[in-house]
Amino acid sequence: MNNSSKPPSSQGLSYRDAGVDIDAGDALVDRIKPLAKKTMRDGVLAGIGGFGALFEVPKRYREPVLVSGTDGVGTKLKLAFEWNCHETIGQDLVAMSVNDILVQGAESLFFLDYFACGKLSVDTATTVVAGIAKGCELAGCALIGGETAEMPGMYPPGEYDLAGFAVGVVEKSKIINGSSIKPGDVVIGIASSGAHSNGYSLIRKIIERAGAKPTEDIGGRSLREVVMTPTQIYVKQLLNVMAQHPIKGLAHITGGGLVDNVPRVLPDNTQAVLQRDSWQMPDLFRWLQMKGGVADAEMVRVFNCGIGMAVVVSQQDADAVIACINQQGLHSWCLGEIVERPQGAPQTIVV
Protein backbone atom coordinates (compact mmCIF):
# COMPACT_ATOMS: atom_id res chain seq x y z
CA MET A 1 0.00 0.00 0.00
CA ASN A 2 1.38 3.40 -0.99
CA ASN A 3 1.44 5.88 1.92
CA SER A 4 3.56 8.47 0.12
CA SER A 5 0.70 11.00 0.21
CA LYS A 6 0.64 11.08 4.00
CA PRO A 7 2.75 13.77 5.69
CA PRO A 8 5.47 12.55 8.01
CA SER A 9 4.30 12.32 11.63
CA SER A 10 6.72 15.09 12.56
CA GLN A 11 4.66 17.42 10.37
CA GLY A 12 1.26 16.47 11.81
CA LEU A 13 -1.13 19.38 12.08
CA SER A 14 -2.55 20.81 15.28
CA TYR A 15 -5.61 22.96 15.96
CA ARG A 16 -3.22 25.88 16.46
CA ASP A 17 -1.85 25.30 12.95
CA ALA A 18 -5.43 25.65 11.69
CA GLY A 19 -5.71 29.00 13.43
CA VAL A 20 -7.47 28.09 16.68
CA ASP A 21 -5.58 28.64 19.92
CA ILE A 22 -7.15 26.56 22.69
CA ASP A 23 -4.69 27.97 25.24
CA ALA A 24 -5.81 31.52 24.41
CA GLY A 25 -9.43 30.48 24.90
CA ASP A 26 -8.59 28.98 28.28
CA ALA A 27 -6.72 32.13 29.26
CA LEU A 28 -9.76 34.23 28.35
CA VAL A 29 -12.04 32.10 30.51
CA ASP A 30 -9.65 32.56 33.44
CA ARG A 31 -9.81 36.35 32.98
CA ILE A 32 -13.59 36.37 32.57
CA LYS A 33 -14.40 34.44 35.74
CA PRO A 34 -13.60 37.25 38.23
CA LEU A 35 -15.49 39.73 36.03
CA ALA A 36 -18.55 37.48 36.00
CA LYS A 37 -18.27 36.83 39.73
CA LYS A 38 -18.91 40.52 40.45
CA THR A 39 -22.30 40.24 38.71
CA MET A 40 -23.60 37.32 40.77
CA ARG A 41 -27.05 37.62 42.36
CA ASP A 42 -29.59 35.47 44.15
CA GLY A 43 -30.78 32.64 41.95
CA VAL A 44 -27.48 31.66 40.31
CA LEU A 45 -26.89 27.94 40.82
CA ALA A 46 -24.12 27.41 38.27
CA GLY A 47 -22.42 29.90 36.02
CA ILE A 48 -19.29 30.25 33.87
CA GLY A 49 -17.48 27.00 33.06
CA GLY A 50 -20.26 24.43 32.78
CA PHE A 51 -22.07 23.20 29.69
CA GLY A 52 -25.11 25.18 30.74
CA ALA A 53 -25.80 27.90 33.31
CA LEU A 54 -28.40 27.24 36.00
CA PHE A 55 -30.68 29.89 37.48
CA GLU A 56 -33.57 29.56 39.92
CA VAL A 57 -36.52 31.92 39.48
CA PRO A 58 -36.86 34.05 42.65
CA LYS A 59 -39.41 32.58 45.03
CA ARG A 60 -41.05 35.96 45.69
CA TYR A 61 -42.87 35.64 42.33
CA ARG A 62 -46.27 33.93 42.60
CA GLU A 63 -46.95 33.65 38.86
CA PRO A 64 -43.58 34.27 37.23
CA VAL A 65 -43.46 34.88 33.49
CA LEU A 66 -40.05 34.72 31.82
CA VAL A 67 -39.22 37.44 29.32
CA SER A 68 -36.29 37.04 26.92
CA GLY A 69 -34.50 39.29 24.50
CA THR A 70 -31.55 39.13 22.14
CA ASP A 71 -29.64 41.74 20.17
CA GLY A 72 -26.25 42.79 18.91
CA VAL A 73 -24.40 46.09 18.59
CA GLY A 74 -24.62 46.52 14.83
CA THR A 75 -22.12 48.52 12.83
CA LYS A 76 -21.07 50.53 15.85
CA LEU A 77 -18.52 47.72 16.02
CA LYS A 78 -16.85 49.05 12.87
CA LEU A 79 -15.99 52.28 14.68
CA ALA A 80 -14.78 50.30 17.70
CA PHE A 81 -12.31 48.54 15.39
CA GLU A 82 -11.28 51.68 13.51
CA TRP A 83 -10.81 53.79 16.62
CA ASN A 84 -9.55 50.97 18.87
CA CYS A 85 -12.36 51.66 21.33
CA HIS A 86 -13.49 48.41 22.96
CA GLU A 87 -14.16 49.55 26.52
CA THR A 88 -17.83 50.52 26.17
CA ILE A 89 -19.13 48.19 23.47
CA GLY A 90 -19.95 45.47 26.02
CA GLN A 91 -22.29 47.79 27.91
CA ASP A 92 -24.02 48.52 24.60
CA LEU A 93 -24.56 44.80 24.11
CA VAL A 94 -26.18 44.33 27.50
CA ALA A 95 -28.27 47.50 27.27
CA MET A 96 -29.96 46.60 24.00
CA SER A 97 -31.42 43.39 25.46
CA VAL A 98 -32.13 44.36 29.07
CA ASN A 99 -33.86 47.59 28.03
CA ASP A 100 -36.01 45.60 25.61
CA ILE A 101 -37.27 43.19 28.25
CA LEU A 102 -37.69 46.03 30.74
CA VAL A 103 -40.53 47.49 28.67
CA GLN A 104 -42.61 44.41 29.53
CA GLY A 105 -42.09 45.27 33.21
CA ALA A 106 -39.45 42.57 33.64
CA GLU A 107 -36.59 42.47 36.11
CA SER A 108 -33.39 41.26 34.40
CA LEU A 109 -32.15 37.96 35.87
CA PHE A 110 -29.21 36.81 33.79
CA PHE A 111 -27.28 37.49 30.60
CA LEU A 112 -25.37 35.35 28.09
CA ASP A 113 -22.92 36.63 25.50
CA TYR A 114 -21.51 35.33 22.21
CA PHE A 115 -18.12 36.61 21.05
CA ALA A 116 -16.89 35.47 17.62
CA CYS A 117 -13.60 36.33 15.93
CA GLY A 118 -11.09 35.08 13.37
CA LYS A 119 -8.14 35.11 15.76
CA LEU A 120 -8.65 35.57 19.47
CA SER A 121 -6.95 38.51 21.16
CA VAL A 122 -7.24 37.77 24.86
CA ASP A 123 -6.66 41.41 25.78
CA THR A 124 -9.34 42.75 23.43
CA ALA A 125 -11.86 40.08 24.38
CA THR A 126 -11.24 40.70 28.07
CA THR A 127 -11.83 44.43 27.57
CA VAL A 128 -15.12 43.71 25.79
CA VAL A 129 -16.29 41.26 28.46
CA ALA A 130 -15.35 43.74 31.19
CA GLY A 131 -17.83 46.13 29.53
CA ILE A 132 -20.43 43.36 29.43
CA ALA A 133 -19.89 42.72 33.13
CA LYS A 134 -20.27 46.43 33.90
CA GLY A 135 -23.52 46.48 31.94
CA CYS A 136 -24.79 43.50 33.89
CA GLU A 137 -23.96 45.22 37.17
CA LEU A 138 -25.87 48.33 36.04
CA ALA A 139 -28.85 46.17 35.10
CA GLY A 140 -28.71 44.03 38.23
CA CYS A 141 -28.41 40.79 36.28
CA ALA A 142 -25.86 38.00 36.44
CA LEU A 143 -23.40 37.19 33.66
CA ILE A 144 -23.63 33.43 33.94
CA GLY A 145 -22.55 32.06 30.57
CA GLY A 146 -21.58 32.64 27.01
CA GLU A 147 -19.55 31.41 24.09
CA THR A 148 -16.23 32.47 22.59
CA ALA A 149 -15.79 31.23 19.02
CA GLU A 150 -12.46 31.50 17.22
CA MET A 151 -13.15 30.90 13.53
CA PRO A 152 -10.17 31.44 11.23
CA GLY A 153 -11.10 32.95 7.87
CA MET A 154 -14.54 34.12 8.99
CA TYR A 155 -13.55 37.60 10.20
CA PRO A 156 -10.84 40.07 9.11
CA PRO A 157 -7.87 40.48 11.48
CA GLY A 158 -8.73 42.62 14.50
CA GLU A 159 -12.51 42.29 14.06
CA TYR A 160 -15.14 40.38 16.00
CA ASP A 161 -18.89 40.09 16.31
CA LEU A 162 -21.13 40.13 19.36
CA ALA A 163 -24.57 38.87 20.31
CA GLY A 164 -26.28 39.09 23.68
CA PHE A 165 -29.16 37.26 25.31
CA ALA A 166 -31.07 38.44 28.38
CA VAL A 167 -33.70 36.65 30.45
CA GLY A 168 -35.91 38.43 32.96
CA VAL A 169 -39.05 37.77 34.95
CA VAL A 170 -42.26 39.65 35.65
CA GLU A 171 -45.31 38.85 37.75
CA LYS A 172 -48.05 37.80 35.34
CA SER A 173 -50.48 40.36 36.74
CA LYS A 174 -47.90 43.15 36.29
CA ILE A 175 -46.96 42.64 32.65
CA ILE A 176 -46.89 45.97 30.81
CA ASN A 177 -48.42 45.59 27.35
CA GLY A 178 -50.00 48.97 26.57
CA SER A 179 -53.54 47.58 26.41
CA SER A 180 -54.89 50.19 28.84
CA ILE A 181 -53.50 53.18 26.91
CA LYS A 182 -56.24 55.59 25.83
CA PRO A 183 -56.71 59.14 24.50
CA GLY A 184 -55.82 61.71 27.14
CA ASP A 185 -52.80 59.79 28.43
CA VAL A 186 -49.40 61.49 28.55
CA VAL A 187 -46.18 60.42 26.82
CA ILE A 188 -43.03 61.05 28.87
CA GLY A 189 -39.61 61.14 27.26
CA ILE A 190 -36.47 59.92 29.05
CA ALA A 191 -33.15 61.21 27.79
CA SER A 192 -30.74 58.93 25.96
CA SER A 193 -27.00 58.98 26.55
CA GLY A 194 -26.34 59.40 22.83
CA ALA A 195 -27.03 57.43 19.67
CA HIS A 196 -26.97 54.22 21.77
CA SER A 197 -26.43 51.41 19.23
CA ASN A 198 -28.72 52.40 16.38
CA GLY A 199 -28.30 54.19 13.08
CA TYR A 200 -24.55 53.62 12.93
CA SER A 201 -24.49 52.74 9.24
CA LEU A 202 -25.78 56.26 8.59
CA ILE A 203 -23.51 57.76 11.26
CA ARG A 204 -20.47 56.16 9.62
CA LYS A 205 -21.58 57.39 6.20
CA ILE A 206 -21.94 60.94 7.51
CA ILE A 207 -18.52 60.83 9.19
CA GLU A 208 -16.99 59.55 5.96
CA ARG A 209 -18.70 62.17 3.79
CA ALA A 210 -17.75 64.97 6.19
CA GLY A 211 -14.16 63.76 6.40
CA ALA A 212 -14.46 64.15 10.17
CA LYS A 213 -11.64 63.10 12.45
CA PRO A 214 -12.34 61.30 15.74
CA THR A 215 -10.86 64.31 17.52
CA GLU A 216 -13.38 66.78 16.00
CA ASP A 217 -15.15 68.87 18.64
CA ILE A 218 -18.84 68.13 19.24
CA GLY A 219 -20.16 70.40 21.96
CA GLY A 220 -16.93 70.36 23.94
CA ARG A 221 -16.29 66.61 23.56
CA SER A 222 -14.50 64.67 20.86
CA LEU A 223 -16.47 62.97 18.10
CA ARG A 224 -14.99 59.65 19.22
CA GLU A 225 -16.16 60.14 22.80
CA VAL A 226 -19.66 61.25 21.83
CA VAL A 227 -20.24 58.57 19.20
CA MET A 228 -18.89 55.75 21.39
CA THR A 229 -20.76 56.77 24.56
CA PRO A 230 -22.39 53.55 25.80
CA THR A 231 -26.12 52.98 25.74
CA GLN A 232 -27.98 54.10 28.87
CA ILE A 233 -29.29 51.18 30.92
CA TYR A 234 -32.65 52.11 32.44
CA VAL A 235 -33.43 48.91 34.34
CA LYS A 236 -32.87 49.69 38.03
CA GLN A 237 -34.24 53.23 37.80
CA LEU A 238 -37.45 52.32 36.00
CA LEU A 239 -38.09 49.25 38.14
CA ASN A 240 -38.04 51.64 41.11
CA VAL A 241 -40.51 53.91 39.32
CA MET A 242 -42.81 50.98 38.46
CA ALA A 243 -42.84 49.93 42.09
CA GLN A 244 -44.28 53.34 43.04
CA HIS A 245 -46.45 54.41 40.11
CA PRO A 246 -48.71 52.79 37.50
CA ILE A 247 -47.11 52.64 34.06
CA LYS A 248 -49.32 51.92 31.05
CA GLY A 249 -46.67 51.53 28.37
CA LEU A 250 -42.95 51.65 27.76
CA ALA A 251 -41.14 51.90 24.44
CA HIS A 252 -37.40 51.41 24.06
CA ILE A 253 -36.29 53.74 21.25
CA THR A 254 -34.01 51.55 19.16
CA GLY A 255 -33.81 50.84 15.42
CA GLY A 256 -36.68 52.68 13.76
CA GLY A 257 -36.33 55.72 15.98
CA LEU A 258 -39.25 57.48 17.60
CA VAL A 259 -41.85 56.96 14.90
CA ASP A 260 -41.44 53.18 14.59
CA ASN A 261 -40.94 52.21 18.24
CA VAL A 262 -43.65 54.10 20.12
CA PRO A 263 -46.42 52.44 18.03
CA ARG A 264 -45.26 49.02 19.24
CA VAL A 265 -46.96 49.66 22.60
CA LEU A 266 -50.06 51.51 21.39
CA PRO A 267 -53.55 50.09 20.82
CA ASP A 268 -54.59 50.37 17.15
CA ASN A 269 -57.14 53.13 17.79
CA THR A 270 -54.64 55.50 19.42
CA GLN A 271 -51.99 57.89 18.17
CA ALA A 272 -49.03 59.45 19.97
CA VAL A 273 -48.55 63.12 19.15
CA LEU A 274 -45.03 64.12 20.15
CA GLN A 275 -44.15 67.79 20.52
CA ARG A 276 -40.91 68.61 18.73
CA ASP A 277 -40.38 71.76 20.80
CA SER A 278 -40.58 69.84 24.08
CA TRP A 279 -36.92 68.86 23.90
CA GLN A 280 -33.69 70.02 22.31
CA MET A 281 -31.77 67.51 20.22
CA PRO A 282 -28.32 66.85 21.71
CA ASP A 283 -25.25 68.20 19.93
CA LEU A 284 -24.46 64.86 18.27
CA PHE A 285 -27.77 64.66 16.44
CA ARG A 286 -27.64 68.30 15.37
CA TRP A 287 -24.13 67.69 14.01
CA LEU A 288 -25.25 64.54 12.17
CA GLN A 289 -28.25 66.31 10.63
CA MET A 290 -26.16 69.28 9.52
CA LYS A 291 -23.21 67.30 8.12
CA GLY A 292 -25.43 64.71 6.45
CA GLY A 293 -28.20 67.00 5.28
CA VAL A 294 -30.63 64.54 6.87
CA ALA A 295 -34.32 65.46 6.66
CA ASP A 296 -36.31 65.88 9.89
CA ALA A 297 -38.54 62.91 9.03
CA GLU A 298 -35.51 60.71 8.45
CA MET A 299 -33.89 61.78 11.73
CA VAL A 300 -36.85 60.66 13.87
CA ARG A 301 -37.17 57.44 11.88
CA VAL A 302 -33.51 56.43 12.25
CA PHE A 303 -32.25 57.90 15.53
CA ASN A 304 -33.54 58.29 19.08
CA CYS A 305 -32.74 62.02 18.72
CA GLY A 306 -32.03 62.26 22.45
CA ILE A 307 -34.92 60.11 23.74
CA GLY A 308 -33.97 56.62 24.85
CA MET A 309 -37.26 55.55 26.38
CA ALA A 310 -40.87 56.69 26.08
CA VAL A 311 -43.29 56.15 28.96
CA VAL A 312 -47.08 56.35 28.74
CA VAL A 313 -49.05 57.17 31.90
CA SER A 314 -52.41 58.59 32.89
CA GLN A 315 -52.59 62.37 32.89
CA GLN A 316 -53.14 62.48 36.65
CA ASP A 317 -49.94 60.45 37.23
CA ALA A 318 -47.68 62.33 34.82
CA ASP A 319 -46.16 64.92 37.16
CA ALA A 320 -45.45 62.37 39.89
CA VAL A 321 -43.88 59.92 37.44
CA ILE A 322 -41.66 62.61 35.90
CA ALA A 323 -40.52 63.68 39.38
CA CYS A 324 -39.83 60.07 40.35
CA ILE A 325 -37.83 59.35 37.18
CA ASN A 326 -35.74 62.48 37.72
CA GLN A 327 -35.11 61.45 41.33
CA GLN A 328 -33.51 58.28 39.94
CA GLY A 329 -30.85 60.38 38.22
CA LEU A 330 -32.42 60.35 34.76
CA HIS A 331 -33.81 63.33 32.85
CA SER A 332 -37.47 63.17 31.78
CA TRP A 333 -40.18 65.54 30.58
CA CYS A 334 -43.63 65.63 29.02
CA LEU A 335 -43.05 64.62 25.40
CA GLY A 336 -46.60 64.54 24.07
CA GLU A 337 -50.04 63.01 24.42
CA ILE A 338 -52.20 60.15 23.26
CA VAL A 339 -55.16 61.02 21.02
CA GLU A 340 -57.74 59.09 19.05
CA ARG A 341 -56.13 57.90 15.86
CA PRO A 342 -57.59 59.36 12.66
CA GLN A 343 -58.43 56.68 10.11
CA GLY A 344 -55.40 55.79 8.03
CA ALA A 345 -53.08 58.03 10.06
CA PRO A 346 -49.70 56.88 11.41
CA GLN A 347 -49.62 55.85 15.05
CA THR A 348 -46.90 58.31 15.99
CA ILE A 349 -46.31 61.81 14.65
CA VAL A 350 -43.84 64.51 15.63
CA VAL A 351 -45.31 68.00 15.28
Side-chain angles (χ1 to χ4, degrees):
M1 185 175 179
N2 186 358
N3 293 322
S4 60
S5 63
K6 293 183 179 180
S9 59
S10 61
Q11 297 178 19
L13 293 174
S14 69
Y15 213 4
R16 187 190 294 267
D17 294 326
V20 179
D21 189 342
I22 295 175
D23 292 336
D26 291 342
L28 177 60
V29 172
D30 288 341
R31 291 204 200 176
I32 287 173
K33 283 182 177 178
L35 299 173
K37 186 176 181 180
K38 293 196 297 183
T39 73
M40 290 301 101
R41 53 162 291 162
D42 292 343
V44 177
L45 302 180
I48 301 285
F51 286 100
L54 303 177
F55 195 97
E56 183 178 35
V57 176
K59 291 182 172 60
R60 67 179 181 276
Y61 287 90
R62 294 170 298 168
E63 293 184 288
V65 174
L66 295 180
V67 185
S68 60
T70 182
D71 211 336
V73 181
T75 60
K76 189 173 187 177
L77 284 174
K78 298 292 285 185
L79 291 175
F81 307 148
E82 182 180 343
W83 294 344
N84 191 30
C85 183
H86 308 284
E87 294 80 8
T88 59
I89 213 76
Q91 181 175 325
D92 285 309
L93 184 68
V94 175
M96 300 311 290
S97 288
V98 297
N99 285 341
D100 272 356
I101 66 174
L102 171 67
V103 302
Q104 321 290 318
E107 167 194 5
S108 296
L109 295 177
F110 60 87
F111 188 83
L112 309 172
D113 70 277
Y114 175 78
F115 181 102
C117 59
K119 181 174 178 56
L120 180 62
S121 164
V122 176
D123 287 342
T124 298
T126 300
T127 299
V128 172
V129 175
I132 293 172
K134 179 180 179 181
C136 287
E137 289 185 74
L138 291 172
C141 64
L143 176 60
I144 59 174
E147 170 69 8
T148 302
E150 189 175 22
M151 299 183 286
M154 287 289 288
Y155 299 92
E159 296 193 6
Y160 54 84
D161 198 10
L162 294 173
F165 312 87
V167 174
V169 63
V170 60
E171 197 73 69
K172 188 174 182 179
S173 62
K174 295 183 179 179
I175 294 174
I176 298 174
N177 59 20
S179 61
S180 64
I181 294 174
K182 63 183 181 181
D185 288 340
V186 172
V187 183
I188 296 169
I190 306 180
S192 66
S193 56
H196 288 182
S197 297
N198 299 108
Y200 273 79
S201 294
L202 179 54
I203 289 173
R204 289 169 47 239
K205 192 70 175 179
I206 293 170
I207 291 173
E208 177 187 347
R209 176 177 291 185
K213 304 295 184 184
T215 54
E216 180 160 338
D217 181 79
I218 307 290
R221 300 164 67 198
S222 71
L223 176 64
R224 178 183 184 274
E225 181 185 359
V226 173
V227 168
M228 298 306 292
T229 296
T231 307
Q232 173 71 49
I233 292 176
Y234 299 95
V235 177
K236 290 182 179 179
Q237 298 95 323
L238 288 187
L239 286 175
N240 287 336
V241 175
M242 292 177 206
Q244 300 175 58
H245 302 281
I247 302 296
K248 291 190 171 189
L250 281 166
H252 182 203
I253 311 304
T254 57
L258 285 168
V259 295
D260 284 353
N261 282 290
V262 175
R264 296 168 70 178
V265 300
L266 299 179
D268 287 342
N269 66 331
T270 61
Q271 180 186 60
V273 179
L274 309 182
Q275 300 296 327
R276 180 63 192 82
D277 61 0
S278 70
W279 87 101
Q280 184 177 8
M281 277 204 307
D283 293 330
L284 170 63
F285 299 105
R286 294 203 299 274
W287 184 88
L288 290 169
Q289 184 168 26
M290 178 186 67
K291 293 292 186 179
V294 184
D296 289 344
E298 185 74 357
M299 288 294 294
V300 295
R301 191 182 179 197
V302 175
F303 301 119
N304 67 57
C305 294
I307 301 164
M309 194 76 73
V311 187
V312 183
V313 298
S314 297
Q315 188 174 37
Q316 62 265 29
D317 295 323
D319 289 343
V321 171
I322 290 172
C324 189
I325 293 171
N326 293 344
Q327 287 169 5
Q328 304 296 318
L330 300 172
H331 173 53
S332 66
W333 65 96
C334 179
L335 179 62
E337 63 176 339
I338 303 297
V339 301
E340 187 174 345
R341 181 187 183 189
Q343 187 172 3
Q347 278 206 283
T348 298
I349 59 174
V350 182
V351 298

